[in-house]
Amino acid sequence: MTTSAATTLKGQPLDRPALDSMLRRRMFYTPSFEIYGGVAGLYDYGPPGCGLQANVVDAWRKHFVLEEDMLEIDCSVLTPHEVLKTSGHVDKFADWMCKDPKNGEILRADHFVEEILENRLKGDKEARGQKVEEKEEDPKKKKRKNKGAVEAVKLDDAVVQEYEETLAKIDNYNGAELGELIKKHDLKNPATGVQPSPPVAFNLMFQTSIGPSSNSPGYMRPETAQGQFLNFSKLLEFNQAKMPFASASVGRSYRNEISPRAGLLRVREFLMAEIEHFVDPEGGKKHPRFDEVKDVELVLLNRETQLSGKTSVEKVAIGQAVAKGTVDNETLGYFLARIHLFLKKIGVDQSKIRFRQHMANEMAHYAADCWDAELLTSYGWIECVGCADRSAYDLSVHAKKTGAPLIVRERLPAPIKIEEWVVDVDKKKFGPHFKKDGKTVEAALMETSQAQREEFAKALSESGSLTIEVPGVGDGKCTVPKELVVVEKRTRTENTREFTPNVIEPSFGIGRILYALMEHCYWSRGSEGGDEARGVLSFPPTVAPTKVLIVPLSSNEQFAPFCYKLSQKLRKRGISSRIDDSSATIGKRYSRNDELGTPLGITVDFQTVKDQTITLRDRDSTKQVRADEDRIIQAIQSMVDGSKSWQEVEGELPAFEGQEVEVTIRE
Amino acid sequence: MTTSAATTLKGQPLDRPALDSMLRRRMFYTPSFEIYGGVAGLYDYGPPGCGLQANVVDAWRKHFVLEEDMLEIDCSVLTPHEVLKTSGHVDKFADWMCKDPKNGEILRADHFVEEILENRLKGDKEARGQKVEEKEEDPKKKKRKNKGAVEAVKLDDAVVQEYEETLAKIDNYNGAELGELIKKHDLKNPATGVQPSPPVAFNLMFQTSIGPSSNSPGYMRPETAQGQFLNFSKLLEFNQAKMPFASASVGRSYRNEISPRAGLLRVREFLMAEIEHFVDPEGGKKHPRFDEVKDVELVLLNRETQLSGKTSVEKVAIGQAVAKGTVDNETLGYFLARIHLFLKKIGVDQSKIRFRQHMANEMAHYAADCWDAELLTSYGWIECVGCADRSAYDLSVHAKKTGAPLIVRERLPAPIKIEEWVVDVDKKKFGPHFKKDGKTVEAALMETSQAQREEFAKALSESGSLTIEVPGVGDGKCTVPKELVVVEKRTRTENTREFTPNVIEPSFGIGRILYALMEHCYWSRGSEGGDEARGVLSFPPTVAPTKVLIVPLSSNEQFAPFCYKLSQKLRKRGISSRIDDSSATIGKRYSRNDELGTPLGITVDFQTVKDQTITLRDRDSTKQVRADEDRIIQAIQSMVDGSKSWQEVEGELPAFEGQEVEVTIRE
């Protein structure tokens, strides 16, 4: 895992501070409440960020929800305690934190241990005169870079090995173990030189109280999924009882990160888009449309490769990956391919996507398989989409807790006969015989397994009674004489089958995708002829916040009506445009819009006034064509809806070069 | 204010329970967490509700944001304490609540007093043998209908008058006053027969804690506006310093209602769409596009009419209303007209809209004028859109608190000369003369007004010194000899003007609009020929959740590919459709989609297989036309984008009647 330094779309080294400063200057995003000093992990999207987000969500809806007739629902963020207790979030959705007793600083325990040990290992390498290789950065690490300097101190070989082994398992320690590591290795907060307090669990959900009394605790949801699970039966009915089907939700979720520091990648409030695809667990989880995607090639980093300590990937058709068993089933594979196609469509760099399989210890115990779509950014490989097979876990726990039948009842094609051992109790005799324990003994009998019942039948016929363990009654064992009970094998006919569907869950972190997309589309237009280097965001037209910049050549009053008419025509076709009639030079105005990622520019000039023709400029090549308004608008439409590329348009319309000279003369 | 019983779109009496049950059955909405018993005031939107919401928000964006190049931003919901302290929400965004000491029930104090007094007045009328007239219902009242029965007890005339006066002012009492009313009139909770405890303020914001330490209190925002105000300077810069401009936000807000009970109208979590239009307070707040709307007629219920105890409205062109001064200024009037046009576009019943002006005591002290767009529903007139002129209040308080310059600096067309009195202090002599008090005396001098300075100049020339009050220095008065100070009139040139913009704020409660829209579009298809009455939701095609239902005449396999091809073609044009190939009769399938508000239906039958023609059915008239696929799709497109009505389409394409008979024979 050596560093592959981050690069721009054109392969230039990525200057993250320059990009960040441009994104803030152009108001793609801005820290929330900045004039009040800001709050870590909270950001606002300004107009271009908001537009980019809306377009990506729109593309997501078309690609997933509309294409597959998914049932989109919109659920409450406020969630009562009991729901998240059942889902496991109240008990398990936590990080370990410790406090520095001297300055009160709160530290995330695993990050703290990891960082100090890494610094010691670096110090050891320095002391040994070895080259300190940076590992691939990941945001968990990056955010702590400012902590503690590296001191060149040589360590024993055994210590080095111990540290390395600890770091390899850092995600698996619980609070007590992290506390022991802190004591054992005497890990001190570099800021104060003291050991932090033992780690305590910090639940990552924002808690609040619903209603005026304080006895209705609630949380802001940490994911949109629970609302979809709770509505399962209604959704199934809405879908006219047809299986399989998927629900989908786009909405905010909240995680109270202990100390968020990786910009847009680790935030406390974020937009998620989640799909819950409900599928019959029997029949190998086939997908009816798998054939359509089977040849899509994905870059996979599977579990075995990671176990062997490598990060080497393979590019493989999803059909093959499922056939080989690398990916657990067709439905999961189908969604991996669809996720890939979606990321491609919105402009994610194809060389910066990989699908990483979760290690067994990363997955929840109930999960059958799980893959993350990771995007390469200057913070390293970032998990942007998770795609898990969650088995029947969620529906089962909520059904068990509430008694609601979160199941599918399916009419069998033909009735089936079921042979089974049945227990019948003679209630009239049972009560008088066992008195106050009657109900308890009866319940114990009813809960027995088929195997136990077979034993009982044997015992009854052989010895005239059966013996059953009933904790709390007498000495814990009860003898039931054959006068009170019949145990026999009977045949019953079933017309329906009941099952709890399994859930395949593609879950998208929209904010992370947006950030990765901005890095992937960014490049810098070299400083030709003494110009400063200028930033460009080469968003595909489909997701670009604004599609067309309209610039009048100068402030000459003749141009204004042409610009207005053009913007109205574009608006009618649903194409967003913006007129820039400021007094800046055309070059400066285009520059500003390169930074905003606007793919196309129209110039209205004196020729327009004469013959109604306009020029159309391509952001990426800065080439221009000239034609009449209708042909230009037609070309724009086809590029925005993705049916044509600039290259095709360029081939069809007459090229145009430099009107500025002529104009200077004429004005 | 006598009752005007609620009616359907066709003037039938509105059966709210029937509508509610239909909306839930079709999953327009459903109580959140229902399998856990639900939480009052929290609802989920199912697929059609979610679709309707998305389409209404989309129409809103096109009508407001795109049409006016507003700057849409997306801000954090989590908001730190200090921001909402400054805005006034921490101190003032509260209702008064009391507790029943016997059963612990929590009551909203004003609602409690109102309800008991109203019941006593009704009881008095009954005792006097008068007809008890229901007032126009409003949701605040409706929700408490289940409380306390009316007893026929006659009251003294003086008491009746006192109660009536109290009720007229019920919104103006503070907690102490409500407490006094409870004591004075001995108001008891009907459920227990005891007086509730004295009212205490209950803040309606959901509180939480941001980050791991407990010293960062925060709230879930009660409105989206604050995020827009805090970003003012960045937005102005983004807008290249041009004024006026507007920002806009669509997002969730939260209000912890004490006991929400009016269905979708009073909820704890809701979607808002807010616009903040920033305008120069000088020059009468003209609007450049006011001329475009000046003839739009609005139904206005102004302040004077309400003061005189009436609810009579006038229908008046907005141009006239502004000219007469009924509506304060053009910008406010412009938005009232635009709001009206928006409501009309999405299908709100034109006879059920009015704009009600806030009474002086309803408005915040800083507001210049405020109008609510109210929609008539079975709960009475409901505030769905507020439109307030908030003056410079919000920007001023945040600027004052943070020191951020939330102002506009405008280059003056020509420099202006300003004559003013100036104070110059001779620093070298001032210090030695006043010693430790030097700075204080100097500061006091610098803070003096123009009038004071004129006095000083006179004093200096007449007596050789000036006397100024400086609290805390000596006996509170200081004498400054003319050797230390010069006070004289000078002329200075100003090139820029600074001002704090005023804010016009149209604020939309999307959930309330959706509910009103569902009531306004609902009607019941009479029970002709023995059929049950069937519900219809006549949404305009633009906002209908699904535009087209595609039904194959039967499960015959020949039909499936036609249906699929049609749905693909519609999808390409961005038109949502749904295939219903269930085994129900065509009538039943259309019925289901009438309830879902799907405006158009296509039937694929044997004729289709032969000649590729299909029939198109209009939901509202149930009439059908038949033509080839392309012409039908073209017609659908024009109805969905609003350019044609069904009547026009019907005039252009051949009518079609009843294929069902023929089919029965052929199958």
Side-chain angles (χ1 to χ4, degrees), chain A residues 26-27 30-36 39 42-48 50 53 66-67 69 71-80 82-83 86 97 106 202 206-213 220 230-231 234-235 238-240 242 252 254 256-258 268-269 289 398 401-402 404 406 564 571 577-578 580-582 592 596, chain B residues 26-27 30-36 39 42-48 50 53 66-67 69 71-80 82-83 86 97 106 202 206-213 220 230-231 234-235 238-240 242 252 254 256-258 268-269 289 398 401-402 404 406 564 571 577-578 580-582 592 596:
Chain A
R26 291 307 176 202
M27 222 182 163
T30 182
S32 301
F33 319 111
E34 197 170 26
I35 65 172
Y36 278 84
V39 175
L42 295 180
Y43 293 92
D44 296 342
Y45 287 115
C50 193
Q53 175 181 266
L66 289 184
E67 183 60 36
D69 286 334
L71 305 182
E72 187 173 348
I73 63 174
D74 193 14
C75 302
S76 292
V77 168
L78 285 167
T79 307
E82 219 185 344
V83 170
T86 306
M97 70 169 184
I106 287 168
F202 175 70
F206 285 97
Q207 192 168 1
T208 190
S209 191
I210 304 174
S213 77
M220 295 166 77
L230 299 189
N231 279 305
K234 292 175 195 170
L235 289 166
F238 185 86
N239 205 44
Q240 301 178 286
K242 273 198 206 169
R252 297 227 179 154
Y254 295 81
N256 198 3
E257 298 286 346
I258 291 175
R268 287 173 165 154
E269 178 171 339
R289 296 178 70 174
H398 288 302
K401 178 72 187 172
T402 62
L406 303 179
Y564 181 73
R571 180 172 295 158
S577 69
R578 208 147 179 104
D580 185 348
D581 55 5
S582 69
R592 178 170 186 273
L596 287 167
Chain B
R26 292 306 177 203
M27 221 181 162
T30 182
S32 301
F33 319 109
E34 199 172 26
I35 65 172
Y36 278 84
V39 176
L42 295 180
Y43 293 92
D44 296 343
Y45 287 115
C50 193
Q53 176 181 266
L66 290 184
E67 182 62 35
D69 286 333
L71 305 182
E72 188 173 346
I73 63 175
D74 193 15
C75 302
S76 292
V77 169
L78 285 166
T79 307
E82 218 185 345
V83 170
T86 306
M97 70 169 183
I106 287 167
F202 175 70
F206 285 96
Q207 193 169 0
T208 190
S209 192
I210 304 174
S213 78
M220 295 165 78
L230 299 188
N231 279 305
K234 293 176 195 167
L235 289 166
F238 185 85
N239 206 45
Q240 301 178 287
K242 271 198 207 169
R252 296 224 181 159
Y254 295 81
N256 199 3
E257 297 286 346
I258 291 175
R268 286 174 165 153
E269 177 171 339
R289 296 179 71 176
H398 288 301
K401 178 73 189 173
T402 62
L406 302 180
Y564 182 73
R571 182 172 295 159
S577 70
R578 209 150 177 102
D580 185 348
D581 55 5
S582 69
R592 178 171 185 271
L596 287 167

Side-chain angles (χ1 to χ4, degrees), chain B residues 48-109:
Chain B
C50 193
L52 184 67
Q53 176 181 266
N55 294 341
V56 166
V57 169
D58 186 55
W60 186 90
R61 275 209 175 91
K62 286 185 179 136
H63 186 81
F64 291 103
V65 180
L66 290 184
E67 182 62 35
E68 321 235 353
D69 286 333
M70 291 176 178
L71 305 182
E72 188 173 346
I73 63 175
D74 193 15
C75 302
S76 292
V77 169
L78 285 166
T79 307
H81 175 88
E82 218 185 345
V83 170
L84 292 161
K85 176 77 185 171
T86 306
S87 68
H89 286 90
V90 170
D91 296 324
K92 290 181 191 154
F93 195 66
D95 282 338
W96 298 100
M97 70 169 183
C98 13
K99 200 168 179 174
D100 183 311
K102 200 164 169 187
N103 67 359
E105 189 184 1
I106 287 167
L107 306 159
R108 201 174 129 175

Side-chain angles (χ1 to χ4, degrees), chain B residues 139-185:
Chain B
K140 285 186 294 187
K141 288 163 195 163
K142 188 65 192 175
K143 73 186 215 187
R144 300 183 309 286
K145 273 289 145 63
N146 55 342
K147 283 204 164 259
V150 172
E151 283 178 71
V153 176
K154 189 172 179 302
L155 306 170
D156 284 350
D157 288 357
V159 172
V160 169
Q161 200 190 331
E162 189 181 357
Y163 283 6
E164 280 172 350
E165 283 169 9
T166 302
L167 287 172
K169 293 184 289 185
I170 194 71
D171 289 340
N172 299 331
Y173 294 108
N174 64 26
E177 290 162 342
L178 289 166
E180 276 164 33
L181 288 170
I182 291 171
K183 277 197 193 145
K184 181 175 177 193
H185 301 305

Side-chain angles (χ1 to χ4, degrees), chain A residues 28 47 49 89 187 221 306 334 368 377 418 421 429 442 610:
Chain A
F28 275 88
H89 287 89
L187 307 182
R221 67 178 177 203
Q306 294 171 73
Y334 176 76
T377 73
I418 294 170
W421 290 97
K429 294 179 185 159
E442 188 181 338
K610 267 203 291 192

Side-chain angles (χ1 to χ4, degrees), chain A residues 15-271:
Chain A
D15 180 350
R16 190 185 330 137
L19 170 61
D20 269 351
S21 130
M22 186 187 95
L23 292 175
R24 290 193 191 207
R25 192 173 67 247
R26 291 307 176 202
M27 222 182 163
F28 275 88
Y29 76 96
T30 182
S32 301
F33 319 111
E34 197 170 26
I35 65 172
Y36 278 84
V39 175
L42 295 180
Y43 293 92
D44 296 342
Y45 287 115
C50 193
L52 184 67
Q53 175 181 266
N55 294 341
V56 166
V57 169
D58 187 54
W60 186 89
R61 275 210 175 91
K62 285 185 180 137
H63 185 82
F64 291 103
V65 180
L66 289 184
E67 183 60 36
E68 321 234 354
D69 286 334
M70 291 176 179
L71 305 182
E72 187 173 348
I73 63 174
D74 193 14
C75 302
S76 292
V77 168
L78 285 167
T79 307
H81 176 86
E82 219 185 344
V83 170
L84 293 161
K85 176 76 185 170
T86 306
S87 69
H89 287 89
V90 169
D91 296 325
K92 291 181 190 153
F93 195 65
D95 281 338
W96 297 100
M97 70 169 184
C98 12
K99 199 167 177 174
D100 183 312
K102 200 164 170 188
N103 66 1
E105 189 184 1
I106 287 168
L107 306 159
R108 201 174 129 173
D110 56 341
H111 291 180
F112 172 73
V113 171
E114 192 178 21
E115 178 206 5
I116 308 281
L117 295 187
E118 277 179 355
N119 280 350
R120 289 190 184 170
L121 286 174
K122 277 186 209 155
D124 171 70
K125 285 202 170 172
E126 274 187 36
R128 290 172 191 244
Q130 296 172 348
K131 188 166 165 263
V132 179
E133 270 186 11
E134 284 286 324
K135 284 214 263 171
E136 270 185 3
E137 294 184 60
D138 92 23
K140 285 187 294 189
K141 289 163 194 161
K142 188 68 191 171
K143 71 185 214 188
R144 301 182 310 285
K145 275 287 143 66
N146 55 343
K147 284 203 164 257
V150 172
E151 281 179 73
V153 176
K154 189 173 178 303
L155 305 172
D156 284 350
D157 288 357
V159 172
V160 169
Q161 198 189 332
E162 188 181 357
Y163 284 5
E164 280 172 350
E165 283 169 8
T166 303
L167 288 172
K169 294 184 288 184
I170 193 71
D171 288 340
N172 300 332
Y173 294 107
N174 65 26
E177 290 162 344
L178 289 166
E180 277 164 33
L181 289 170
I182 291 171
K183 278 197 192 144
K184 180 175 179 195
H185 301 305
D186 190 25
L187 307 182
K188 290 171 178 161
N189 186 358
T192 58
V194 300
Q195 263 188 33
S197 65
V200 293
F202 175 70
N203 192 290
L204 297 180
M205 292 193 292
F206 285 97
Q207 192 168 1
T208 190
S209 191
I210 304 174
S213 77
S214 51
N215 53 19
S216 298
Y219 302 93
M220 295 166 77
R221 67 178 177 203
E223 57 176 28
T224 72
Q226 300 305 322
Q228 299 184 57
F229 299 140
L230 299 189
N231 279 305
F232 172 74
S233 296
K234 292 175 195 170
L235 289 166
L236 179 63
E237 193 194 327
F238 185 86
N239 205 44
Q240 301 178 286
K242 273 198 206 169
M243 284 284 292
F245 75 95
S247 62
S249 271
V250 181
R252 297 227 179 154
S253 295
Y254 295 81
R255 295 185 187 179
N256 198 3
E257 298 286 346
I258 291 175
S259 58
R261 274 180 219 159
L264 292 179
L265 294 179
R266 190 166 290 268
V267 294
R268 287 173 165 154
E269 178 171 339
F270 50 94
L271 192 67

